[in-house]
Amino acid sequence: MPSKTDPPPFRSGYVSIAGRPNVGKSTLLNRVLGEKIAIISRKPNTTRNRILGIRNLTHAQIIFLDTPGISSGSFGHKAQKQLNRYMVKEAMKACGDADLILLMIEATRPWQDEDLFTLKNISRLNLPAFLLINKIDRVGKPSLLPLINQSQRQGPFKEIFPVSALTGHGVDELVDTIPSYLPEGPAYFPEDLITDQAERFLAAETVREKVFALTDKEVPYSTAVTIEEFKEAPDIIRISALIHVEHDSQKGILIGKNGAMLKKIGTLARRELEEFLAQRVFLKLLVRVEKNWTRNPKSLRKLGYQGPN
Ligand code: GDP
Ligand code: MG
Protein backbone atom coordinates (compact mmCIF):
# COMPACT_ATOMS: atom_id res chain seq x y z
CA MET A 1 0.00 0.00 0.00
CA PRO A 2 1.42 3.40 -0.88
CA SER A 3 1.62 5.62 2.18
CA LYS A 4 0.67 9.28 2.27
CA THR A 5 4.31 10.35 2.21
CA ASP A 6 5.22 8.42 -0.96
CA PRO A 7 5.83 10.75 -3.88
CA PRO A 8 3.43 10.23 -6.76
CA PRO A 9 4.74 7.82 -9.39
CA PHE A 10 6.70 9.38 -12.26
CA ARG A 11 4.71 9.57 -15.48
CA SER A 12 5.75 10.25 -19.03
CA GLY A 13 4.08 10.24 -22.39
CA TYR A 14 3.22 11.86 -25.69
CA VAL A 15 0.60 14.53 -26.15
CA SER A 16 -0.54 15.62 -29.61
CA ILE A 17 -2.03 19.00 -30.27
CA ALA A 18 -4.56 18.67 -33.09
CA GLY A 19 -6.85 21.16 -34.73
CA ARG A 20 -7.50 22.99 -37.94
CA PRO A 21 -4.97 25.55 -39.14
CA ASN A 22 -4.71 28.82 -37.25
CA VAL A 23 -6.53 27.82 -34.06
CA GLY A 24 -3.34 28.44 -32.07
CA LYS A 25 -1.55 25.09 -31.72
CA SER A 26 1.95 26.44 -32.21
CA THR A 27 1.25 29.34 -29.90
CA LEU A 28 0.16 26.92 -27.18
CA LEU A 29 3.24 24.76 -27.66
CA ASN A 30 5.48 27.80 -27.38
CA ARG A 31 3.61 28.96 -24.30
CA VAL A 32 3.92 25.57 -22.66
CA LEU A 33 7.61 25.25 -23.42
CA GLY A 34 8.50 28.83 -22.68
CA GLU A 35 10.70 29.19 -25.73
CA LYS A 36 9.93 29.82 -29.31
CA ILE A 37 10.45 26.57 -31.14
CA ALA A 38 7.43 26.14 -33.35
CA ILE A 39 6.83 28.79 -35.95
CA ILE A 40 3.76 30.94 -35.76
CA SER A 41 2.02 32.69 -38.58
CA ARG A 42 -1.28 34.30 -39.37
CA LYS A 43 -1.34 32.21 -42.53
CA PRO A 44 -2.51 28.61 -42.19
CA ASN A 45 -0.36 25.54 -42.44
CA THR A 46 3.04 26.92 -41.71
CA THR A 47 3.89 24.01 -39.49
CA ARG A 48 4.46 21.22 -41.97
CA ASN A 49 6.64 18.98 -39.87
CA ARG A 50 5.68 17.71 -36.51
CA ILE A 51 7.65 19.40 -33.83
CA LEU A 52 8.55 17.78 -30.61
CA GLY A 53 8.82 19.82 -27.47
CA ILE A 54 9.35 18.57 -23.96
CA ARG A 55 8.05 19.94 -20.69
CA ASN A 56 9.61 18.58 -17.53
CA LEU A 57 7.60 18.70 -14.30
CA THR A 58 8.66 17.39 -10.89
CA HIS A 59 6.79 14.13 -11.37
CA ALA A 60 6.27 13.94 -15.08
CA GLN A 61 7.74 14.47 -18.48
CA ILE A 62 5.28 15.60 -21.16
CA ILE A 63 6.37 15.25 -24.78
CA PHE A 64 4.36 17.45 -27.11
CA LEU A 65 3.75 16.81 -30.77
CA ASP A 66 2.62 19.80 -32.76
CA THR A 67 0.77 18.52 -35.80
CA PRO A 68 0.23 20.17 -39.14
CA GLY A 69 -3.34 21.43 -39.37
CA ILE A 70 -5.69 18.71 -40.47
CA SER A 71 -7.57 20.11 -43.38
CA SER A 72 -10.31 18.37 -45.33
CA GLY A 73 -9.85 20.26 -48.56
CA SER A 74 -6.91 21.81 -50.28
CA PHE A 75 -5.19 24.95 -49.12
CA GLY A 76 -3.42 27.77 -50.87
CA HIS A 77 -4.25 26.79 -54.42
CA LYS A 78 -5.76 23.61 -55.74
CA ALA A 79 -2.75 22.00 -57.35
CA GLN A 80 -1.12 21.00 -54.11
CA LYS A 81 -3.24 18.09 -53.01
CA GLN A 82 -0.24 15.85 -52.63
CA LEU A 83 1.33 18.06 -50.00
CA ASN A 84 -2.03 18.39 -48.29
CA ARG A 85 -2.53 14.63 -48.18
CA TYR A 86 0.95 14.27 -46.77
CA MET A 87 0.13 16.77 -44.05
CA VAL A 88 -3.08 15.03 -43.02
CA LYS A 89 -1.16 11.75 -42.89
CA GLU A 90 1.58 13.31 -40.78
CA ALA A 91 -0.98 14.84 -38.44
CA MET A 92 -2.73 11.52 -37.97
CA LYS A 93 0.59 9.78 -37.45
CA ALA A 94 1.51 12.25 -34.73
CA CYS A 95 -1.87 11.66 -33.10
CA GLY A 96 -1.68 7.88 -33.37
CA ASP A 97 1.60 7.87 -31.45
CA ALA A 98 0.12 9.83 -28.58
CA ASP A 99 -1.11 8.89 -25.11
CA LEU A 100 -3.39 11.91 -25.06
CA ILE A 101 -4.80 14.20 -27.73
CA LEU A 102 -5.55 17.85 -27.24
CA LEU A 103 -8.13 18.95 -29.78
CA MET A 104 -8.07 22.70 -30.13
CA ILE A 105 -10.88 24.89 -31.41
CA GLU A 106 -11.30 28.67 -31.41
CA ALA A 107 -13.80 30.35 -29.11
CA THR A 108 -14.18 33.02 -31.78
CA ARG A 109 -15.17 30.55 -34.54
CA PRO A 110 -16.15 27.32 -32.77
CA TRP A 111 -17.09 24.05 -34.41
CA GLN A 112 -16.47 24.81 -38.04
CA ASP A 113 -16.64 21.97 -40.59
CA GLU A 114 -12.90 21.56 -40.36
CA ASP A 115 -13.11 21.14 -36.57
CA LEU A 116 -15.68 18.40 -37.01
CA PHE A 117 -13.49 16.78 -39.68
CA THR A 118 -10.55 16.78 -37.27
CA LEU A 119 -12.71 15.42 -34.46
CA LYS A 120 -13.95 12.63 -36.73
CA ASN A 121 -10.37 11.71 -37.63
CA ILE A 122 -9.07 11.62 -34.08
CA SER A 123 -12.14 9.81 -32.76
CA ARG A 124 -11.13 6.80 -34.84
CA LEU A 125 -7.92 6.51 -32.82
CA ASN A 126 -9.84 5.82 -29.61
CA LEU A 127 -7.42 7.73 -27.42
CA PRO A 128 -8.26 9.96 -24.46
CA ALA A 129 -8.80 13.52 -25.63
CA PHE A 130 -9.15 16.95 -24.03
CA LEU A 131 -10.91 19.79 -25.76
CA LEU A 132 -9.12 23.13 -25.65
CA ILE A 133 -11.26 26.16 -26.42
CA ASN A 134 -8.61 28.70 -27.34
CA LYS A 135 -8.59 32.49 -27.78
CA ILE A 136 -10.97 33.10 -24.89
CA ASP A 137 -9.29 36.50 -24.55
CA ARG A 138 -11.35 37.48 -27.57
CA VAL A 139 -14.83 36.48 -26.39
CA GLY A 140 -17.01 37.63 -23.52
CA LYS A 141 -17.53 35.38 -20.51
CA PRO A 142 -21.31 34.98 -21.09
CA SER A 143 -20.76 33.17 -24.39
CA LEU A 144 -18.32 30.70 -22.87
CA LEU A 145 -20.71 28.60 -20.79
CA PRO A 146 -23.09 27.79 -23.68
CA LEU A 147 -20.05 26.97 -25.81
CA ILE A 148 -18.73 24.56 -23.18
CA ASN A 149 -22.16 22.93 -23.01
CA GLN A 150 -22.37 22.66 -26.77
CA SER A 151 -18.85 21.21 -26.87
CA GLN A 152 -19.68 18.53 -24.31
CA ARG A 153 -22.22 17.17 -26.76
CA GLN A 154 -19.69 16.98 -29.61
CA GLY A 155 -17.58 14.18 -28.18
CA PRO A 156 -16.53 12.24 -25.11
CA PHE A 157 -13.83 14.65 -23.97
CA LYS A 158 -12.07 13.73 -20.73
CA GLU A 159 -11.68 17.41 -19.90
CA ILE A 160 -12.60 20.73 -21.46
CA PHE A 161 -10.26 23.68 -20.92
CA PRO A 162 -11.05 27.23 -21.98
CA VAL A 163 -7.61 28.77 -22.57
CA SER A 164 -5.77 31.63 -24.13
CA ALA A 165 -2.52 30.41 -25.60
CA LEU A 166 -1.65 34.05 -26.19
CA THR A 167 -2.06 35.35 -22.64
CA GLY A 168 -1.42 32.02 -20.92
CA HIS A 169 -4.81 32.02 -19.24
CA GLY A 170 -5.75 28.46 -18.21
CA VAL A 171 -2.53 26.97 -19.52
CA ASP A 172 -1.01 26.08 -16.12
CA GLU A 173 -4.19 24.23 -15.15
CA LEU A 174 -3.99 22.31 -18.40
CA VAL A 175 -0.34 21.37 -17.90
CA ASP A 176 -1.03 20.29 -14.31
CA THR A 177 -3.89 18.04 -15.40
CA ILE A 178 -2.08 16.26 -18.26
CA PRO A 179 0.19 13.95 -16.17
CA SER A 180 -2.70 12.04 -14.61
CA TYR A 181 -3.59 10.88 -18.14
CA LEU A 182 -0.07 9.65 -18.93
CA PRO A 183 1.24 6.16 -18.18
CA GLU A 184 3.65 5.57 -15.34
CA GLY A 185 7.18 5.40 -16.64
CA PRO A 186 10.61 7.02 -16.65
CA ALA A 187 11.53 10.17 -18.58
CA TYR A 188 12.27 9.42 -22.23
CA PHE A 189 14.56 12.38 -22.77
CA PRO A 190 17.29 14.11 -20.73
CA GLU A 191 15.87 16.96 -18.69
CA ASP A 192 17.89 19.78 -20.19
CA LEU A 193 16.43 19.18 -23.62
CA ILE A 194 13.46 21.21 -24.77
CA THR A 195 13.38 19.98 -28.32
CA ASP A 196 15.00 17.25 -30.33
CA GLN A 197 14.97 19.30 -33.50
CA ALA A 198 18.39 20.42 -34.56
CA GLU A 199 19.18 24.11 -34.64
CA ARG A 200 19.46 23.66 -38.40
CA PHE A 201 15.79 22.88 -38.56
CA LEU A 202 15.04 25.96 -36.53
CA ALA A 203 17.08 28.03 -38.96
CA ALA A 204 15.16 26.61 -41.93
CA GLU A 205 11.80 27.20 -40.24
CA THR A 206 12.75 30.77 -39.38
CA VAL A 207 13.60 31.56 -42.99
CA ARG A 208 10.38 29.92 -44.14
CA GLU A 209 8.40 31.91 -41.60
CA LYS A 210 9.79 35.14 -43.05
CA VAL A 211 8.84 34.02 -46.56
CA PHE A 212 5.33 33.41 -45.24
CA ALA A 213 5.22 36.81 -43.60
CA LEU A 214 6.47 38.75 -46.61
CA THR A 215 4.92 37.08 -49.65
CA ASP A 216 1.36 36.28 -50.71
CA LYS A 217 -0.84 34.00 -52.72
CA GLU A 218 0.73 30.70 -53.69
CA VAL A 219 4.34 31.73 -53.07
CA PRO A 220 4.53 30.74 -49.38
CA TYR A 221 2.96 27.38 -50.16
CA SER A 222 5.45 26.74 -52.92
CA THR A 223 8.43 27.38 -50.70
CA ALA A 224 10.67 24.93 -48.90
CA VAL A 225 13.90 25.75 -47.14
CA THR A 226 16.92 23.52 -46.65
CA ILE A 227 20.08 24.32 -44.76
CA GLU A 228 23.20 23.67 -46.81
CA GLU A 229 25.69 24.78 -44.19
CA PHE A 230 25.56 25.34 -40.44
CA LYS A 231 28.98 26.11 -39.02
CA GLU A 232 29.62 27.25 -35.49
CA ALA A 233 32.72 29.40 -35.10
CA PRO A 234 33.60 30.84 -31.66
CA ASP A 235 32.06 34.24 -32.35
CA ILE A 236 29.61 33.62 -35.19
CA ILE A 237 27.38 30.95 -36.71
CA ARG A 238 27.54 30.72 -40.48
CA ILE A 239 24.33 29.50 -42.01
CA SER A 240 23.69 28.98 -45.67
CA ALA A 241 20.07 28.33 -46.62
CA LEU A 242 18.52 27.35 -49.91
CA ILE A 243 14.98 28.50 -50.63
CA HIS A 244 13.26 26.14 -53.07
CA VAL A 245 10.36 27.38 -55.16
CA GLU A 246 8.35 25.83 -57.97
CA HIS A 247 8.57 28.40 -60.77
CA ASP A 248 10.93 31.01 -62.17
CA SER A 249 8.31 33.69 -61.51
CA GLN A 250 8.32 32.78 -57.81
CA LYS A 251 12.07 33.00 -57.76
CA GLY A 252 11.75 36.51 -59.16
CA ILE A 253 9.28 37.49 -56.43
CA LEU A 254 11.49 36.12 -53.67
CA ILE A 255 14.58 37.90 -54.93
CA GLY A 256 12.71 41.14 -55.58
CA LYS A 257 13.89 44.28 -57.28
CA ASN A 258 17.66 44.48 -57.00
CA GLY A 259 17.49 41.69 -54.43
CA ALA A 260 15.44 43.80 -52.03
CA MET A 261 12.99 41.05 -51.00
CA LEU A 262 15.66 38.46 -50.34
CA LYS A 263 17.59 40.97 -48.31
CA LYS A 264 14.52 41.72 -46.20
CA ILE A 265 13.85 38.02 -45.60
CA GLY A 266 17.49 37.50 -44.68
CA THR A 267 17.65 40.43 -42.30
CA LEU A 268 14.49 39.48 -40.40
CA ALA A 269 15.48 35.81 -40.19
CA ARG A 270 19.01 36.62 -39.08
CA ARG A 271 17.85 38.94 -36.30
CA GLU A 272 15.48 36.32 -34.97
CA LEU A 273 18.07 33.55 -35.13
CA GLU A 274 20.63 35.72 -33.37
CA GLU A 275 18.17 36.25 -30.58
CA PHE A 276 17.29 32.60 -30.27
CA LEU A 277 20.82 31.23 -30.60
CA ALA A 278 22.31 34.06 -28.52
CA GLN A 279 25.11 34.31 -31.07
CA ARG A 280 26.00 36.48 -34.01
CA VAL A 281 24.73 34.89 -37.20
CA PHE A 282 25.87 35.22 -40.78
CA LEU A 283 22.99 34.10 -42.98
CA LYS A 284 23.40 33.48 -46.67
CA LEU A 285 20.24 32.87 -48.76
CA LEU A 286 19.99 31.40 -52.24
CA VAL A 287 16.84 30.73 -54.26
CA ARG A 288 16.52 27.67 -56.47
CA VAL A 289 13.71 26.54 -58.74
CA GLU A 290 12.64 22.96 -58.07
CA LYS A 291 9.90 22.44 -60.67
CA ASN A 292 6.60 21.33 -59.12
CA TRP A 293 8.16 20.02 -55.94
CA THR A 294 4.88 20.11 -54.02
CA ARG A 295 3.40 17.57 -56.45
CA ASN A 296 6.41 15.32 -56.80
CA PRO A 297 6.90 12.65 -54.12
CA LYS A 298 10.62 12.48 -54.86
CA SER A 299 11.08 16.20 -54.39
CA LEU A 300 8.95 16.11 -51.26
CA ARG A 301 11.27 13.50 -49.83
CA LYS A 302 14.37 15.36 -50.85
CA LEU A 303 13.12 18.50 -49.14
CA GLY A 304 12.37 16.62 -45.95
CA TYR A 305 8.59 16.28 -46.19
CA GLN A 306 8.51 12.54 -46.02
CA GLY A 307 8.92 10.53 -42.85
CA PRO A 308 10.91 7.30 -42.54
CA ASN A 309 7.92 5.17 -43.56
P1 GDP B 1 -1.70 26.97 -35.60
O1 GDP B 1 -1.86 27.06 -37.09
O2 GDP B 1 -2.84 26.22 -35.00
O3 GDP B 1 -0.38 26.47 -35.15
O4 GDP B 1 -1.89 28.49 -35.06
P2 GDP B 1 -0.78 29.52 -34.57
O5 GDP B 1 -0.26 29.15 -33.23
O6 GDP B 1 0.21 29.74 -35.66
O7 GDP B 1 -1.71 30.83 -34.35
C1 GDP B 1 -2.46 31.42 -35.39
C2 GDP B 1 -2.78 32.86 -35.03
O8 GDP B 1 -3.65 32.92 -33.88
C3 GDP B 1 -1.56 33.69 -34.64
O9 GDP B 1 -1.72 34.98 -35.17
C4 GDP B 1 -1.61 33.74 -33.12
O10 GDP B 1 -0.99 34.86 -32.56
C5 GDP B 1 -3.11 33.74 -32.86
N1 GDP B 1 -3.44 33.17 -31.54
C6 GDP B 1 -3.07 31.97 -31.04
N2 GDP B 1 -3.58 31.78 -29.79
C7 GDP B 1 -4.28 32.89 -29.50
C8 GDP B 1 -5.06 33.30 -28.35
O11 GDP B 1 -5.19 32.62 -27.33
N3 GDP B 1 -5.67 34.52 -28.44
C9 GDP B 1 -5.56 35.31 -29.55
N4 GDP B 1 -6.21 36.49 -29.53
N5 GDP B 1 -4.85 34.97 -30.63
C10 GDP B 1 -4.21 33.77 -30.62
MG1 MG C 1 1.23 25.70 -36.26
Side-chain angles (χ1 to χ4, degrees):
M1 276 295 275
S3 81
K4 263 191 201 146
T5 51
D6 279 345
F10 199 88
R11 294 175 183 274
S12 59
Y14 289 85
V15 176
S16 278
I17 309 174
R20 70 176 159 77
N22 249 5
V23 289
K25 301 180 295 297
S26 300
T27 307
L28 179 77
L29 186 67
N30 289 328
R31 162 76 46 190
V32 160
L33 299 177
E35 288 214 30
K36 193 177 176 199
I37 65 144
I39 66 166
I40 300 169
S41 166
R42 262 179 273 280
K43 299 192 178 104
N45 277 324
T46 51
T47 314
R48 277 186 202 146
N49 290 293
R50 68 193 221 198
I51 294 182
L52 184 77
I54 298 164
R55 173 71 183 261
N56 293 295
L57 304 171
T58 325
H59 299 296
Q61 182 172 69
I62 309 171
I63 303 149
F64 287 97
L65 305 172
D66 178 32
T67 65
I70 299 177
S71 165
S72 54
S74 57
F75 63 94
H77 61 109
K78 277 183 270 170
Q80 293 168 329
K81 293 233 166 87
Q82 178 114 24
L83 181 58
N84 197 48
R85 264 203 302 273
Y86 164 75
M87 290 179 61
V88 173
K89 214 176 100 202
E90 275 303 286
M92 292 315 297
K93 214 156 75 185
C95 288
D97 290 343
D99 298 296
L100 174 69
I101 295 174
L102 309 180
L103 172 62
M104 185 181 270
I105 62 168
E106 276 178 317
T108 40
R109 293 171 62 233
W111 297 116
Q112 308 281 307
D113 286 350
E114 303 253 291
D115 298 320
L116 295 167
F117 177 78
T118 308
L119 175 63
K120 201 174 93 194
N121 269 289
I122 64 172
S123 300
R124 290 204 202 108
L125 298 169
N126 258 321
L127 293 166
F130 292 0
L131 180 72
L132 309 186
I133 303 175
N134 191 30
K135 308 196 183 179
I136 56 163
D137 56 290
R138 294 191 43 204
V139 297
K141 269 223 174 91
S143 65
L144 212 51
L145 202 59
L147 177 53
I148 292 172
N149 284 334
Q150 181 200 353
S151 299
Q152 263 157 351
R153 291 192 295 270
Q154 295 288 354
F157 300 110
K158 297 284 184 199
E159 313 265 353
I160 295 180
F161 285 95
V163 297
S164 168
L166 199 66
T167 67
H169 191 102
V171 173
D172 287 344
E173 290 85 336
L174 165 69
V175 171
D176 290 342
T177 309
I178 289 173
S180 53
Y181 289 87
L182 302 180
E184 285 181 27
Y188 291 106
F189 294 93
E191 248 189 51
D192 53 2
L193 207 73
I194 56 159
T195 170
D196 75 345
Q197 301 285 345
E199 287 172 341
R200 279 173 166 266
F201 177 70
L202 187 96
E205 289 292 272
T206 304
V207 172
R208 206 156 58 79
E209 185 186 40
K210 299 312 162 202
V211 174
F212 258 84
L214 295 171
T215 63
D216 324 293
K217 302 223 178 70
E218 90 291 357
V219 177
Y221 301 101
S222 300
T223 300
V225 178
T226 54
I227 300 299
E228 304 301 300
E229 188 189 29
F230 193 101
K231 258 202 197 132
E232 285 186 63
D235 59 333
I236 196 163
I237 302 174
R238 286 177 189 283
I239 304 170
S240 174
L242 205 52
I243 304 177
H244 306 257
V245 291
E246 294 190 281
H247 306 293
D248 291 326
S249 60
Q250 295 165 343
K251 181 174 173 175
I253 291 168
L254 278 184
I255 291 175
K257 208 173 172 202
N258 298 321
M261 177 58 96
L262 199 60
K263 194 165 167 203
K264 206 162 159 190
I265 293 167
T267 304
L268 291 177
R270 176 179 53 78
R271 284 201 199 124
E272 193 166 312
L273 283 169
E274 284 182 333
E275 202 174 302
F276 187 87
L277 299 167
Q279 277 254 33
R280 272 204 315 138
V281 168
F282 173 81
L283 178 63
K284 189 170 123 191
L285 297 181
L286 286 172
V287 185
R288 179 192 281 171
V289 178
E290 181 94 15
K291 287 260 187 290
N292 298 329
W293 71 264
T294 58
R295 264 168 280 157
N296 179 345
K298 224 157 110 191
S299 300
L300 279 172
R301 237 185 332 271
K302 198 169 106 200
L303 298 177
Y305 295 121
Q306 195 79 349
N309 40 38

